[in-house]
Amino acid sequence: MPTAVITGASSGIGAAFARRLAATGADLVLLARDEARLTANAEQLRAKHGVQVEVLVADLATEEGIAAAERRVAHGVDLVVNNAGFGQRGTFLDTPVAEEVAMLRVHCEAVLRLTHAALPDMVARGGGGVINVSSVAAFFSRGSYAATKAWVLSFSESVAHDVAGNGVRVMALCPGWVRTEFHQRSNMDTSGIPGFMWLDADKLVSAGLRDYARGRSCSVPDARYKVVTGASRLIPRRLSSALSARVGRRYE
Ligand code: NDP
């Protein structure tokens, strides 16, 4: 059976990846900080799909956590989903620098190091791949969150090119607004986001996995967000960033 490691698997998009991949018969390694939630998710997936599910409790904002994850992805893994992440709880100057650095570690350093740790074994075996969860925010200049997601997109497309021809795939998944715990955790006022722009995590993951199977290096699920990201390339960057700032403000 193929084995997939999913970071940020205790809730939201990561938990949706776990449900979808378990339904296809994949064995799983679920990584996050909340052991109780990971254990509950693992028990449900084992009972429903008869797959093997390991739990790896790790904080990807720490050296120890990233190193433990690196060790786990280095051998015998067919898919790594680098999904763990969180939003900014204020503007750049309102945010303690330690929180900014933690975001860089979780969104960029962990993604880089887990991709670097996983790919050599995959290339040697001629199969497998990595999905790095970026965001539609990657197409806009909006805080260090968007900057980290732009890095994830650029990095993933570049490494996808490097490994093309080895039977190994790397893809950036760029979701728009998805109903998860993300916005509440980052204290975001989502009242300005029109209802029709919200995506369902399970549908998002199915669309992302279809694009991954097709060998895409960047996946923007849903026509609504293909229009948004397409338009972002056509209008001046200052204007697109000003427009994006009008939605998803934070509570004061
Ligand atoms: P959730 O808040 O529902 O899930 C975030 C997950 O990341 C949780 O499992 C959390 O687990 C884990 N996580 C957070 N920090 C760490 C850490 N330091 N170490 C290990 N795990 C961590 O949000 P989403 O499911 O929405 O977010 C998943 C990804 O999708 C993120 O990268 C986010 O940026 C991206 N995204 C989300 C969008 C949305 O609208 N929801 C839009 C575009 C992109 P725990 O707390 O147990 O550690």
Side-chain angles (χ1 to χ4, degrees):
M1 279 300 146
T3 300
V5 178
I6 305 163
T7 74
S10 59
S11 73
I13 296 168
F17 264 107
R19 287 192 291 275
R20 184 79 197 99
L21 292 166
T24 67
D27 293 330
L28 301 175
V29 180
L30 307 182
L31 182 150
R33 293 165 300 181
D34 189 328
E35 184 169 12
R37 290 185 78 177
L38 288 178
T39 304
N41 289 355
E43 276 167 12
Q44 278 180 9
L45 295 171
R46 283 187 207 111
K48 188 164 181 193
H49 302 289
V51 294
Q52 293 186 33
V53 188
E54 278 173 55
V55 162
L56 178 51
V57 179
D59 182 349
L60 293 176
T62 66
E63 173 57 34
E64 202 183 27
I66 297 178
E70 278 179 313
R71 284 192 294 276
R72 187 59 191 86
V73 301
H75 299 287
V77 170
D78 303 282
L79 175 65
V80 176
V81 182
N82 282 312
N83 161 78
F86 58 96
Q88 267 168 316
R89 277 181 289 180
T91 61
F92 179 62
L93 288 182
D94 290 339
T95 308
V97 75
E99 219 171 283
E100 295 281 352
V101 171
M103 179 175 284
L104 269 183
R105 292 202 94 178
V106 176
H107 290 185
C108 301
E109 183 179 344
V111 170
L112 182 148
R113 286 176 55 182
L114 268 59
T115 304
H116 198 271
L119 284 179
D121 183 54
M122 293 176 179
V123 168
R125 288 186 287 129
V130 178
I131 297 176
N132 293 325
V133 180
S134 173
S135 169
V136 161
F139 295 81
F140 299 89
S141 299
R142 192 166 170 218
S144 40
Y145 175 81
T148 64
K149 294 301 184 177
W151 181 89
V152 172
L153 173 58
S154 176
F155 167 74
S156 305
E157 290 186 316
S158 159
V159 181
H161 185 261
D162 287 350
V163 297
N166 291 295
V168 176
R169 279 165 286 176
V170 177
M171 185 184 87
L173 174 62
C174 300
W177 301 104
V178 190
R179 289 204 191 279
T180 66
E181 295 172 18
F182 178 89
H183 313 94
Q184 193 188 354
R185 287 196 203 215
S186 53
N187 207 26
M188 194 179 284
D189 174 7
T190 56
S191 59
I193 302 167
F196 67 88
M197 292 304 279
W198 286 99
L199 301 176
D200 170 77
D202 291 297
K203 288 182 184 157
L204 168 89
V205 165
S206 296
L209 285 170
R210 273 198 301 277
D211 282 343
Y212 175 73
R214 289 181 188 128
R216 301 259 162 87
S217 59
C218 172
S219 168
V220 180
D222 200 90
R224 288 162 281 187
Y225 286 104
K226 289 189 196 336
V227 170
V228 170
T229 54
S232 78
R233 291 187 165 116
L234 298 175
I235 60 179
R237 205 161 165 85
R238 279 179 67 182
L239 177 60
S240 66
S241 299
L243 288 173
S244 84
R246 294 173 69 98
V247 289
R249 287 182 294 266
R250 272 154 202 89
Y251 291 111
E252 297 302 325

CSV table of all heavy atoms in Angstrom, one decimal, residues 18-77:
chain,number,residue,atom,x,y,z
A,18,ALA,N,-6.4,13.4,4.7
A,18,ALA,CA,-6.3,12.1,5.3
A,18,ALA,C,-7.6,11.3,5.0
A,18,ALA,O,-7.4,10.1,4.7
A,18,ALA,CB,-6.2,12.3,6.8
A,19,ARG,N,-8.8,11.9,5.0
A,19,ARG,CA,-10.0,11.1,4.7
A,19,ARG,C,-9.9,10.7,3.3
A,19,ARG,O,-10.2,9.5,3.0
A,19,ARG,CB,-11.2,12.0,4.9
A,19,ARG,CG,-11.6,12.3,6.3
A,19,ARG,CD,-13.0,13.0,6.4
A,19,ARG,NE,-13.0,14.3,5.8
A,19,ARG,CZ,-12.7,15.4,6.5
A,19,ARG,NH1,-12.3,15.4,7.8
A,19,ARG,NH2,-12.8,16.6,6.0
A,20,ARG,N,-9.5,11.5,2.3
A,20,ARG,CA,-9.5,11.2,0.9
A,20,ARG,C,-8.5,10.1,0.6
A,20,ARG,O,-8.8,9.1,-0.1
A,20,ARG,CB,-9.2,12.4,0.1
A,20,ARG,CG,-9.3,12.3,-1.4
A,20,ARG,CD,-10.7,12.3,-1.9
A,20,ARG,NE,-10.8,11.7,-3.3
A,20,ARG,CZ,-11.2,10.5,-3.5
A,20,ARG,NH1,-11.5,9.7,-2.5
A,20,ARG,NH2,-11.2,10.0,-4.7
A,21,LEU,N,-7.3,10.2,1.2
A,21,LEU,CA,-6.2,9.3,0.9
A,21,LEU,C,-6.5,7.9,1.5
A,21,LEU,O,-6.3,6.9,0.9
A,21,LEU,CB,-4.9,9.8,1.3
A,21,LEU,CG,-4.4,11.0,0.4
A,21,LEU,CD1,-3.2,11.7,1.1
A,21,LEU,CD2,-4.0,10.6,-1.0
A,22,ALA,N,-7.1,7.9,2.7
A,22,ALA,CA,-7.5,6.7,3.4
A,22,ALA,C,-8.5,5.9,2.6
A,22,ALA,O,-8.5,4.7,2.5
A,22,ALA,CB,-7.9,7.0,4.8
A,23,ALA,N,-9.4,6.7,2.0
A,23,ALA,CA,-10.5,6.1,1.2
A,23,ALA,C,-9.9,5.4,0.0
A,23,ALA,O,-10.6,4.5,-0.6
A,23,ALA,CB,-11.5,7.1,0.8
A,24,THR,N,-8.8,5.8,-0.5
A,24,THR,CA,-8.1,5.2,-1.6
A,24,THR,C,-7.3,4.0,-1.2
A,24,THR,O,-6.6,3.3,-2.0
A,24,THR,CB,-7.2,6.1,-2.5
A,24,THR,OG1,-6.1,6.5,-1.6
A,24,THR,CG2,-8.0,7.4,-2.9
A,25,GLY,N,-7.2,3.7,0.1
A,25,GLY,CA,-6.4,2.6,0.6
A,25,GLY,C,-5.0,2.9,1.1
A,25,GLY,O,-4.2,2.0,1.4
A,26,ALA,N,-4.7,4.2,1.1
A,26,ALA,CA,-3.3,4.6,1.5
A,26,ALA,C,-3.1,4.5,3.0
A,26,ALA,O,-4.0,4.8,3.8
A,26,ALA,CB,-3.0,6.0,1.0
A,27,ASP,N,-1.9,4.0,3.4
A,27,ASP,CA,-1.5,4.1,4.8
A,27,ASP,C,-1.1,5.5,5.1
A,27,ASP,O,-0.6,6.2,4.2
A,27,ASP,CB,-0.4,3.1,5.1
A,27,ASP,CG,-0.9,1.7,5.0
A,27,ASP,OD1,-2.1,1.4,5.3
A,27,ASP,OD2,-0.1,0.8,4.6
A,28,LEU,N,-1.3,6.0,6.3
A,28,LEU,CA,-1.0,7.4,6.6
A,28,LEU,C,-0.1,7.6,7.8
A,28,LEU,O,-0.1,6.8,8.7
A,28,LEU,CB,-2.4,8.1,6.9
A,28,LEU,CG,-3.4,8.0,5.8
A,28,LEU,CD1,-4.7,8.7,6.3
A,28,LEU,CD2,-3.0,8.7,4.5
A,29,VAL,N,0.6,8.7,7.8
A,29,VAL,CA,1.2,9.3,8.9
A,29,VAL,C,0.6,10.7,9.1
A,29,VAL,O,0.7,11.5,8.2
A,29,VAL,CB,2.8,9.4,8.7
A,29,VAL,CG1,3.4,10.0,10.0
A,29,VAL,CG2,3.4,8.1,8.4
A,30,LEU,N,0.0,10.9,10.3
A,30,LEU,CA,-0.7,12.2,10.5
A,30,LEU,C,0.2,13.0,11.5
A,30,LEU,O,0.4,12.5,12.6
A,30,LEU,CB,-2.1,11.9,11.2
A,30,LEU,CG,-3.0,11.0,10.4
A,30,LEU,CD1,-4.4,10.9,11.2
A,30,LEU,CD2,-3.2,11.4,9.0
A,31,LEU,N,0.6,14.2,11.1
A,31,LEU,CA,1.4,15.0,11.9
A,31,LEU,C,0.7,16.3,12.3
A,31,LEU,O,0.1,17.0,11.4
A,31,LEU,CB,2.7,15.3,11.1
A,31,LEU,CG,3.8,16.2,11.8
A,31,LEU,CD1,5.2,15.8,11.3
A,31,LEU,CD2,3.6,17.7,11.7
A,32,ALA,N,0.9,16.7,13.5
A,32,ALA,CA,0.4,18.0,14.0
A,32,ALA,C,0.9,18.1,15.5
A,32,ALA,O,1.6,17.2,16.0
A,32,ALA,CB,-1.1,18.2,13.9
A,33,ARG,N,0.4,19.2,16.2
A,33,ARG,CA,0.8,19.3,17.6
A,33,ARG,C,-0.2,18.7,18.5
A,33,ARG,O,0.2,18.2,19.6
A,33,ARG,CB,1.0,20.8,18.0
A,33,ARG,CG,2.1,21.5,17.3
A,33,ARG,CD,2.0,23.0,17.4
A,33,ARG,NE,0.8,23.4,16.8
A,33,ARG,CZ,0.4,24.7,16.7
A,33,ARG,NH1,1.2,25.6,17.2
A,33,ARG,NH2,-0.7,25.0,16.1
A,34,ASP,N,-1.4,18.6,18.1
A,34,ASP,CA,-2.5,18.2,19.0
A,34,ASP,C,-2.7,16.6,19.0
A,34,ASP,O,-3.4,16.1,18.1
A,34,ASP,CB,-3.8,18.9,18.6
A,34,ASP,CG,-5.0,18.7,19.6
A,34,ASP,OD1,-5.0,17.6,20.2
A,34,ASP,OD2,-5.8,19.6,19.7
A,35,GLU,N,-2.1,16.0,20.0
A,35,GLU,CA,-2.1,14.5,20.0
A,35,GLU,C,-3.5,13.9,20.1
A,35,GLU,O,-3.8,12.9,19.4
A,35,GLU,CB,-1.2,14.0,21.1
A,35,GLU,CG,-1.0,12.5,21.1
A,35,GLU,CD,0.0,12.0,22.1
A,35,GLU,OE1,0.5,12.8,22.9
A,35,GLU,OE2,0.4,10.8,22.0
A,36,ALA,N,-4.3,14.5,20.9
A,36,ALA,CA,-5.6,13.9,21.1
A,36,ALA,C,-6.4,13.9,19.8
A,36,ALA,O,-7.1,13.0,19.4
A,36,ALA,CB,-6.4,14.7,22.2
A,37,ARG,N,-6.4,15.1,19.1
A,37,ARG,CA,-7.1,15.2,17.8
A,37,ARG,C,-6.6,14.2,16.8
A,37,ARG,O,-7.3,13.6,16.0
A,37,ARG,CB,-7.1,16.6,17.3
A,37,ARG,CG,-8.0,17.5,18.2
A,37,ARG,CD,-8.0,18.9,17.6
A,37,ARG,NE,-9.0,19.0,16.5
A,37,ARG,CZ,-9.3,20.1,15.8
A,37,ARG,NH1,-8.7,21.2,16.2
A,37,ARG,NH2,-10.1,20.1,14.9
A,38,LEU,N,-5.2,14.1,16.7
A,38,LEU,CA,-4.6,13.2,15.7
A,38,LEU,C,-5.0,11.8,16.0
A,38,LEU,O,-5.3,11.0,15.1
A,38,LEU,CB,-3.1,13.3,15.8
A,38,LEU,CG,-2.5,14.6,15.2
A,38,LEU,CD1,-1.0,14.5,15.4
A,38,LEU,CD2,-2.8,14.8,13.7
A,39,THR,N,-5.0,11.4,17.3
A,39,THR,CA,-5.3,10.0,17.7
A,39,THR,C,-6.8,9.7,17.3
A,39,THR,O,-7.1,8.6,16.8
A,39,THR,CB,-5.1,9.9,19.2
A,39,THR,OG1,-3.7,10.2,19.5
A,39,THR,CG2,-5.3,8.4,19.7
A,40,ALA,N,-7.7,10.7,17.6
A,40,ALA,CA,-9.1,10.5,17.3
A,40,ALA,C,-9.3,10.3,15.8
A,40,ALA,O,-10.0,9.4,15.3
A,40,ALA,CB,-9.9,11.6,17.8
A,41,ASN,N,-8.6,11.2,15.0
A,41,ASN,CA,-8.7,11.1,13.5
A,41,ASN,C,-8.2,9.7,13.0
A,41,ASN,O,-8.8,9.0,12.2
A,41,ASN,CB,-7.9,12.2,12.8
A,41,ASN,CG,-8.6,13.5,13.0
A,41,ASN,OD1,-9.7,13.6,13.5
A,41,ASN,ND2,-7.9,14.6,12.5
A,42,ALA,N,-7.0,9.3,13.6
A,42,ALA,CA,-6.4,8.0,13.2
A,42,ALA,C,-7.3,6.9,13.5
A,42,ALA,O,-7.5,6.0,12.7
A,42,ALA,CB,-5.1,7.9,13.9
A,43,GLU,N,-8.0,6.9,14.7
A,43,GLU,CA,-8.9,5.8,15.1
A,43,GLU,C,-10.0,5.7,14.1
A,43,GLU,O,-10.4,4.6,13.6
A,43,GLU,CB,-9.4,5.9,16.5
A,43,GLU,CG,-8.4,5.4,17.5
A,43,GLU,CD,-8.7,5.9,18.9
A,43,GLU,OE1,-9.8,6.4,19.2
A,43,GLU,OE2,-7.8,5.7,19.8
A,44,GLN,N,-10.6,6.8,13.7
A,44,GLN,CA,-11.7,6.8,12.8
A,44,GLN,C,-11.3,6.3,11.4
A,44,GLN,O,-12.1,5.5,10.8
A,44,GLN,CB,-12.2,8.2,12.6
A,44,GLN,CG,-13.2,8.7,13.7
A,44,GLN,CD,-13.6,10.2,13.4
A,44,GLN,OE1,-13.4,10.7,12.4
A,44,GLN,NE2,-14.3,10.7,14.4
A,45,LEU,N,-10.2,6.7,11.0
A,45,LEU,CA,-9.7,6.2,9.6
A,45,LEU,C,-9.4,4.8,9.6
A,45,LEU,O,-9.7,4.1,8.6
A,45,LEU,CB,-8.5,7.1,9.2
A,45,LEU,CG,-8.9,8.6,9.0
A,45,LEU,CD1,-7.6,9.4,8.7
A,45,LEU,CD2,-9.8,8.8,7.8
A,46,ARG,N,-8.8,4.3,10.7
A,46,ARG,CA,-8.5,2.8,10.7
A,46,ARG,C,-9.8,2.0,10.7
A,46,ARG,O,-9.9,1.0,10.0
A,46,ARG,CB,-7.7,2.5,12.0
A,46,ARG,CG,-6.3,2.9,12.0
A,46,ARG,CD,-5.6,2.3,13.3
A,46,ARG,NE,-4.5,3.2,13.6
A,46,ARG,CZ,-4.4,4.0,14.7
A,46,ARG,NH1,-5.4,4.1,15.6
A,46,ARG,NH2,-3.3,4.7,14.9
A,47,ALA,N,-10.7,2.5,11.5
A,47,ALA,CA,-12.0,1.7,11.6
A,47,ALA,C,-12.8,1.8,10.3
A,47,ALA,O,-13.4,0.8,9.9
A,47,ALA,CB,-12.9,2.3,12.8
A,48,LYS,N,-12.8,2.9,9.6
A,48,LYS,CA,-13.6,3.0,8.4
A,48,LYS,C,-13.0,2.4,7.2
A,48,LYS,O,-13.6,1.8,6.4
A,48,LYS,CB,-13.9,4.5,8.2
A,48,LYS,CG,-14.8,4.8,7.1
A,48,LYS,CD,-15.4,6.2,7.1
A,48,LYS,CE,-16.4,6.4,5.9
A,48,LYS,NZ,-16.7,7.8,5.7
A,49,HIS,N,-11.6,2.5,7.1
A,49,HIS,CA,-11.0,2.1,5.8
A,49,HIS,C,-10.0,0.9,6.0
A,49,HIS,O,-9.5,0.5,5.0
A,49,HIS,CB,-10.2,3.3,5.2
A,49,HIS,CG,-11.2,4.5,4.9
A,49,HIS,ND1,-12.1,4.4,3.9
A,49,HIS,CD2,-11.3,5.7,5.5
A,49,HIS,CE1,-12.8,5.6,3.9
A,49,HIS,NE2,-12.3,6.4,4.9
A,50,GLY,N,-9.7,0.5,7.2
A,50,GLY,CA,-8.8,-0.6,7.4
A,50,GLY,C,-7.4,-0.3,7.0
A,50,GLY,O,-6.6,-1.3,6.7
A,51,VAL,N,-7.0,1.0,7.0
A,51,VAL,CA,-5.6,1.3,6.7
A,51,VAL,C,-4.8,1.5,8.0
A,51,VAL,O,-5.3,1.6,9.1
A,51,VAL,CB,-5.6,2.6,5.9
A,51,VAL,CG1,-6.3,2.4,4.5
A,51,VAL,CG2,-6.3,3.8,6.6
A,52,GLN,N,-3.5,1.5,7.8
A,52,GLN,CA,-2.6,1.7,8.9
A,52,GLN,C,-2.4,3.2,9.1
A,52,GLN,O,-2.1,3.9,8.1
A,52,GLN,CB,-1.2,1.1,8.7
A,52,GLN,CG,-1.4,-0.5,8.7
A,52,GLN,CD,0.0,-1.1,8.6
A,52,GLN,OE1,1.0,-0.6,9.2
A,52,GLN,NE2,0.0,-2.3,8.0
A,53,VAL,N,-2.5,3.7,10.3
A,53,VAL,CA,-2.4,5.2,10.5
A,53,VAL,C,-1.5,5.4,11.7
A,53,VAL,O,-1.7,4.9,12.8
A,53,VAL,CB,-3.7,5.9,10.8
A,53,VAL,CG1,-3.5,7.4,10.8
A,53,VAL,CG2,-4.7,5.5,9.7
A,54,GLU,N,-0.3,6.1,11.5
A,54,GLU,CA,0.6,6.5,12.5
A,54,GLU,C,0.3,7.9,12.9
A,54,GLU,O,-0.1,8.7,12.1
A,54,GLU,CB,2.0,6.5,12.0
A,54,GLU,CG,2.8,5.2,11.9
A,54,GLU,CD,4.1,5.4,11.2
A,54,GLU,OE1,4.9,6.3,11.6
A,54,GLU,OE2,4.3,4.7,10.2
A,55,VAL,N,0.6,8.2,14.2
A,55,VAL,CA,0.5,9.6,14.6
A,55,VAL,C,1.9,10.1,15.0
A,55,VAL,O,2.6,9.4,15.6
A,55,VAL,CB,-0.4,9.6,15.9
A,55,VAL,CG1,-0.3,10.9,16.7
A,55,VAL,CG2,-1.9,9.4,15.5
A,56,LEU,N,2.2,11.3,14.4
A,56,LEU,CA,3.5,11.9,14.7
A,56,LEU,C,3.2,13.3,15.3
A,56,LEU,O,2.8,14.2,14.6
A,56,LEU,CB,4.3,12.0,13.5
A,56,LEU,CG,5.7,12.6,13.6
A,56,LEU,CD1,6.6,12.1,14.7
A,56,LEU,CD2,6.5,12.5,12.3
A,57,VAL,N,3.4,13.4,16.6
A,57,VAL,CA,3.2,14.7,17.3
A,57,VAL,C,4.5,15.5,17.1
A,57,VAL,O,5.5,15.1,17.6
A,57,VAL,CB,2.8,14.5,18.8
A,57,VAL,CG1,2.6,15.8,19.5
A,57,VAL,CG2,1.6,13.6,18.9
A,58,ALA,N,4.4,16.6,16.4
A,58,ALA,CA,5.6,17.5,16.2
A,58,ALA,C,5.1,18.9,16.0
A,58,ALA,O,4.1,19.2,15.3
A,58,ALA,CB,6.3,17.0,15.0
A,59,ASP,N,5.9,19.8,16.5
A,59,ASP,CA,5.7,21.3,16.3
A,59,ASP,C,6.7,21.7,15.2
A,59,ASP,O,7.9,21.7,15.4
A,59,ASP,CB,6.0,22.0,17.6
A,59,ASP,CG,5.7,23.5,17.4
A,59,ASP,OD1,5.6,24.0,16.3
A,59,ASP,OD2,5.7,24.2,18.5
A,60,LEU,N,6.2,22.0,14.0
A,60,LEU,CA,7.1,22.4,12.9
A,60,LEU,C,7.6,23.8,13.0
A,60,LEU,O,8.4,24.2,12.1
A,60,LEU,CB,6.3,22.2,11.6
A,60,LEU,CG,5.9,20.7,11.3
A,60,LEU,CD1,5.1,20.7,10.0
A,60,LEU,CD2,7.2,19.8,11.1
A,61,ALA,N,7.3,24.5,14.1
A,61,ALA,CA,8.0,25.7,14.3
A,61,ALA,C,9.3,25.5,15.1
A,61,ALA,O,10.0,26.5,15.5
A,61,ALA,CB,7.1,26.7,15.1
A,62,THR,N,9.6,24.3,15.5
A,62,THR,CA,10.8,24.0,16.3
A,62,THR,C,11.8,23.1,15.5
A,62,THR,O,11.4,22.3,14.6
A,62,THR,CB,10.5,23.2,17.6
A,62,THR,OG1,9.9,21.9,17.2
A,62,THR,CG2,9.4,24.0,18.4
A,63,GLU,N,13.1,23.2,15.8
A,63,GLU,CA,14.1,22.4,15.2
A,63,GLU,C,13.8,20.9,15.4
A,63,GLU,O,13.9,20.1,14.5
A,63,GLU,CB,15.5,22.8,15.7
A,63,GLU,CG,16.6,21.8,15.3
A,63,GLU,CD,16.8,21.8,13.8
A,63,GLU,OE1,16.5,22.8,13.1
A,63,GLU,OE2,17.1,20.7,13.3
A,64,GLU,N,13.4,20.6,16.7
A,64,GLU,CA,13.1,19.2,17.0
A,64,GLU,C,12.0,18.6,16.2
A,64,GLU,O,12.1,17.5,15.7
A,64,GLU,CB,12.7,19.2,18.5
A,64,GLU,CG,12.8,18.0,19.3
A,64,GLU,CD,12.3,18.2,20.7
A,64,GLU,OE1,11.4,19.0,20.9
A,64,GLU,OE2,12.8,17.4,21.6
A,65,GLY,N,10.9,19.4,16.0
A,65,GLY,CA,9.8,19.0,15.3
A,65,GLY,C,10.1,18.7,13.8
A,65,GLY,O,9.7,17.7,13.2
A,66,ILE,N,10.8,19.7,13.2
A,66,ILE,CA,11.2,19.5,11.8
A,66,ILE,C,12.1,18.3,11.6
A,66,ILE,O,11.9,17.5,10.7
A,66,ILE,CB,11.8,20.8,11.2
A,66,ILE,CG1,10.8,22.0,11.3
A,66,ILE,CG2,12.3,20.6,9.8
A,66,ILE,CD1,11.4,23.3,10.8
A,67,ALA,N,13.0,18.2,12.5
A,67,ALA,CA,14.0,17.0,12.4
A,67,ALA,C,13.2,15.7,12.5
A,67,ALA,O,13.5,14.7,11.7
A,67,ALA,CB,15.1,17.1,13.5
A,68,ALA,N,12.3,15.6,13.4
A,68,ALA,CA,11.5,14.3,13.5
A,68,ALA,C,10.7,14.1,12.2
A,68,ALA,O,10.6,12.9,11.8
A,68,ALA,CB,10.5,14.4,14.7
A,69,ALA,N,10.1,15.1,11.7
A,69,ALA,CA,9.4,14.9,10.4
A,69,ALA,C,10.3,14.5,9.3
A,69,ALA,O,10.0,13.7,8.5
A,69,ALA,CB,8.6,16.2,10.1
A,70,GLU,N,11.5,15.2,9.2
A,70,GLU,CA,12.5,14.8,8.2
A,70,GLU,C,12.8,13.3,8.3
A,70,GLU,O,12.9,12.6,7.2
A,70,GLU,CB,13.8,15.6,8.4
A,70,GLU,CG,13.8,17.0,7.9
A,70,GLU,CD,15.1,17.7,8.2
A,70,GLU,OE1,15.6,17.6,9.3
A,70,GLU,OE2,15.7,18.3,7.3
A,71,ARG,N,13.1,12.8,9.5
A,71,ARG,CA,13.4,11.4,9.6
A,71,ARG,C,12.3,10.5,9.1
A,71,ARG,O,12.6,9.5,8.4
A,71,ARG,CB,13.7,11.1,11.1
A,71,ARG,CG,15.1,11.6,11.6
A,71,ARG,CD,15.4,11.0,12.9
A,71,ARG,NE,14.5,11.4,14.0
A,71,ARG,CZ,14.7,12.5,14.7
A,71,ARG,NH1,15.7,13.4,14.4
A,71,ARG,NH2,13.8,12.8,15.7
A,72,ARG,N,11.1,10.9,9.4
A,72,ARG,CA,9.9,10.0,9.0
A,72,ARG,C,9.7,10.0,7.5
A,72,ARG,O,9.3,9.0,6.9
A,72,ARG,CB,8.6,10.5,9.7
A,72,ARG,CG,7.5,9.5,9.5
A,72,ARG,CD,7.8,8.1,9.9
A,72,ARG,NE,6.9,7.1,9.5
A,72,ARG,CZ,6.9,6.4,8.4
A,72,ARG,NH1,7.8,6.7,7.5
A,72,ARG,NH2,6.0,5.5,8.1
A,73,VAL,N,10.0,11.1,6.8
A,73,VAL,CA,9.7,11.2,5.3
A,73,VAL,C,10.8,10.6,4.5
A,73,VAL,O,10.6,10.4,3.3
A,73,VAL,CB,9.3,12.6,4.8
A,73,VAL,CG1,8.1,13.2,5.6
A,73,VAL,CG2,10.5,13.6,4.9
A,74,ALA,N,12.0,10.4,5.1
A,74,ALA,CA,13.2,10.1,4.3
A,74,ALA,C,13.1,8.7,3.6
A,74,ALA,O,13.8,8.5,2.6
A,74,ALA,CB,14.4,10.2,5.2
A,75,HIS,N,12.3,7.8,4.1
A,75,HIS,CA,12.3,6.4,3.5
A,75,HIS,C,10.9,5.9,3.4
A,75,HIS,O,10.2,6.0,4.4
A,75,HIS,CB,13.2,5.5,4.2
A,75,HIS,CG,14.7,5.9,4.3
A,75,HIS,ND1,15.5,5.9,3.1
A,75,HIS,CD2,15.4,6.5,5.2
A,75,HIS,CE1,16.7,6.4,3.4
A,75,HIS,NE2,16.6,6.8,4.7
A,76,GLY,N,10.6,5.2,2.3
A,76,GLY,CA,9.4,4.4,2.2
A,76,GLY,C,8.1,5.2,2.2
A,76,GLY,O,7.0,4.7,2.5
A,77,VAL,N,8.2,6.5,1.8
A,77,VAL,CA,7.0,7.3,1.7
A,77,VAL,C,6.7,7.7,0.3
A,77,VAL,O,7.6,8.0,-0.5
A,77,VAL,CB,7.2,8.6,2.6
A,77,VAL,CG1,6.1,9.6,2.3
A,77,VAL,CG2,7.3,8.3,4.0
